[in-house]
Amino acid sequence: MIWEIDDGVKAIEGLDAHGRADPAYAAALGLRPAPGGRRALAALIEVGILLVLALPGVLAMTPVAVRVAAGDADLERMLARGELAWPITAMIISNALVTIFIVVQLLLHGRKGVTVGKALCGIRTVNVRTLERPGFWRGAVVRYLVLSASFLIPLLGPLLVVAFSPLFDSERRGRGWLDQAAATWLVDIRHGLNPYDVKRMRIARKTLRTPEHSQKPALPSLATPVDRDAPSEYIPSGRFSGGVIGAHRTASAPRTGEAGAIPPGAPAPAAPTPVSADAVSAAPVLSDSGAGFAPAAPSGMVDAVPPPLASGQLLDSFASRASDAPAPAMPAAAPIAPIAPTAAPAAPPTPVPAPAPAPAPAVASPAEAASAASDPTPSGAVSAARAVLVLDTGVRVEVRGATLLGRGPAPVAGEGPVQLVPVPDDTLSVSKTHLAFLPARRGVLVVDRGSTNGSSLLRAGGEIPLTPGDPTPLQTGDVVRFGDRSLSVERA
């Protein structure tokens, strides 16, 4: 089981050694600074909305102000006669509308990083350090107070603070004095990443955290060797979507530590007696189905090849099937006649110890044959568990055959019997059919089924992303991340 302990301290990514925001990190995520033209247009749109809301009061009070300034009217007399009722009502309504608009703007800017003008121009505001929402007090209120203070110097103050201060930004990101005071940054969501798209931001951050590997890890060959006891090394001769079809490297020696390896200092074995090509072609080879013997292909290749691993399709050869049952008893094959030498050797050959004779296959008795015919279920149909998958919720899943894992896994037509493992996920970070686990000859393979959020393999402190459709071998102790969930691999 994997335990994650939240220590309450949230690490902020994208900061330099001095704790300041790194512009290169934001650019690598795909964030782009908002252009000055659209920033100015957004400000003009908001100023225009304020003027429209204040227009009723201005229109109602302008004639009164002109008459009072010219001395043609007395405010006390106009108030006594009720002539100021409509102008005062219009001013109250206009001030209320302007106040509500400003408060809503501050709330939207602090909570969502957007205002009416910014929404129309494709601009969002984020905290420059966390690249998240700027916050209500510093990101919105402090910014508004600095902007209001600039109007103490008529015309020159707003022009200097709003229009010209972004030109002095040393980082070339268009951050003016308002942004410096509020610790904010205006980004362009039309030509860059939207920082409020949580899913895309999580993927972008994860992509930067994942180290790039110049070379993919080596995968086991899916070809079938002619000699079942030979080491799994092949010469590639053709490539299909299901794997590499290759011929066995007859010249390769077993590796040190494997069965058949020659220990250091031991004498080399005697050279084998040469055999003609006709004898090789006539030698019996066990077929893939286990039904009997079939002559080997003249090219040294096995005719049976693994099926293609197309998008949304499993390898049927890895699923549990009736061919795993023991083959029926076969009569002993007739011995191969020795080949007469064409010419006498120049020197007597080196004596080679004769190999021990292979035991003849047992012939089933009539009673055993009748019992086997009456029982249609093969004894080896249920394969043993290859590995145990431990989800982050503590659920343990044994891999005995092809296994599909996801939010709502379902096989496609033609995949045969599979084991379905549903994983609850309220955040929808796990795809419906996210991963496939396939038992192989020497372990278990994991295949990403083209998931939306991707998958990765954690091994020896590094993280390797899984390419959709490519099988990757698993080892004991590996951790597989899929979406926001994870599982660990244990020995069966």
Side-chain angles (χ1 to χ4, degrees), residues 428-445:
L428 302 182
S429 64
V430 179
S431 300
K432 289 186 177 180
T433 305
H434 202 112
L435 295 173
F437 296 90
L438 311 175
R441 182 179 302 171
R442 298 186 178 181
V444 175
L445 303 177

Side-chain angles (χ1 to χ4, degrees), residues 273-274 339-351:
T273 304
I339 303 173
T342 57
T350 305

Side-chain angles (χ1 to χ4, degrees), residues 177 186 207 355 471:
W177 293 345
L186 274 67
T207 303

Side-chain angles (χ1 to χ4, degrees), residues 86-446:
W86 162 243
I88 292 176
T89 303
M91 283 295 298
I92 293 175
I93 294 175
S94 295
N95 289 335
L97 293 177
V98 170
T99 302
I100 293 174
F101 177 75
I102 292 176
V103 171
V104 171
Q105 289 278 91
L106 292 178
L107 289 174
L108 288 176
H109 194 264
R111 302 286 296 180
K112 301 294 184 180
V114 66
T115 58
V116 175
K118 293 179 176 61
L120 295 177
C121 297
I123 299 174
R124 296 293 185 272
T125 304
V126 295
N127 185 285
V128 70
R129 298 180 75 248
T130 63
L131 301 180
E132 298 175 353
R133 61 184 185 180
F136 176 73
W137 292 109
R138 184 172 183 180
V141 176
V142 173
R143 184 185 180 91
Y144 176 76
L145 293 177
V146 174
L147 178 61
S148 302
S150 66
F151 284 92
L152 297 177
I153 304 176
L155 188 61
L156 182 60
L159 286 177
L160 182 61
V161 172
V162 178
F164 296 109
S165 62
L167 302 177
F168 306 144
D169 184 12
S170 60
E171 297 177 351
R172 302 295 182 182
R173 294 200 288 178
R175 299 183 64 233
W177 293 345
L178 294 177
D179 299 316
Q180 299 286 346
T184 56
W185 181 38
L186 274 67
V187 298
D188 180 14
I189 64 171
R190 291 183 180 177
H191 301 92
L193 178 63
N194 185 357
Y196 291 91
D197 191 338
V198 179
K199 181 177 179 180
R200 294 186 179 274
M201 280 292 292
R202 182 175 67 247
I203 294 175
R205 291 180 186 270
K206 183 178 179 181
T207 303
L208 289 183
R209 288 195 301 265
T210 303
E212 295 184 358
H213 298 272
S214 58
Q215 190 174 10
K216 293 184 179 181
L219 297 177
S221 176
L222 300 180
T224 304
V226 176
D227 187 1
R228 295 287 179 173
D229 299 328
S232 58
E233 296 181 4
Y234 305 95
I235 302 175
S237 60
R239 180 174 293 275
F240 290 83
S241 59
V244 177
I245 302 175
H248 171 55
R249 295 175 187 248
T250 56
S252 61
R255 302 176 184 174
T256 303
E258 294 184 353
I262 302 175
T273 304
V275 181
S276 67
D278 296 335
V280 173
S281 61
V285 178
L286 185 63
S287 65
D288 252 4
S289 61
F293 289 87
S299 60
M301 297 291 297
V302 176
D303 295 335
V305 298
L309 182 60
S311 177
Q313 185 177 1
L314 294 177
L315 287 176
D316 291 339
S317 60
F318 289 136
S320 60
R321 56 186 180 182
S323 63
D324 295 334
M330 298 295 299
I336 303 173
I339 303 173
T342 57
T350 305
V352 179
V363 180
S365 63
E368 294 175 351
S371 175
S374 62
D375 186 8
T377 304
S379 59
V382 180
S383 59
R386 300 296 183 88
V388 177
L389 308 178
V390 183
L391 301 179
D392 50 10
T393 57
V395 177
R396 302 174 66 87
V397 179
E398 292 185 349
V399 180
R400 297 179 178 272
T403 303
L404 297 181
L405 183 145
R407 185 161 38 88
V412 298
E415 282 188 342
V418 295
Q419 179 184 8
L420 304 180
V421 181
V423 178
D425 182 37
D426 297 334
T427 62
L428 302 182
S429 64
V430 179
S431 300
K432 289 186 177 180
T433 305
H434 202 112
L435 295 173
F437 296 90
L438 311 175
R441 182 179 302 171
R442 298 186 178 181
V444 175
L445 303 177
V446 61

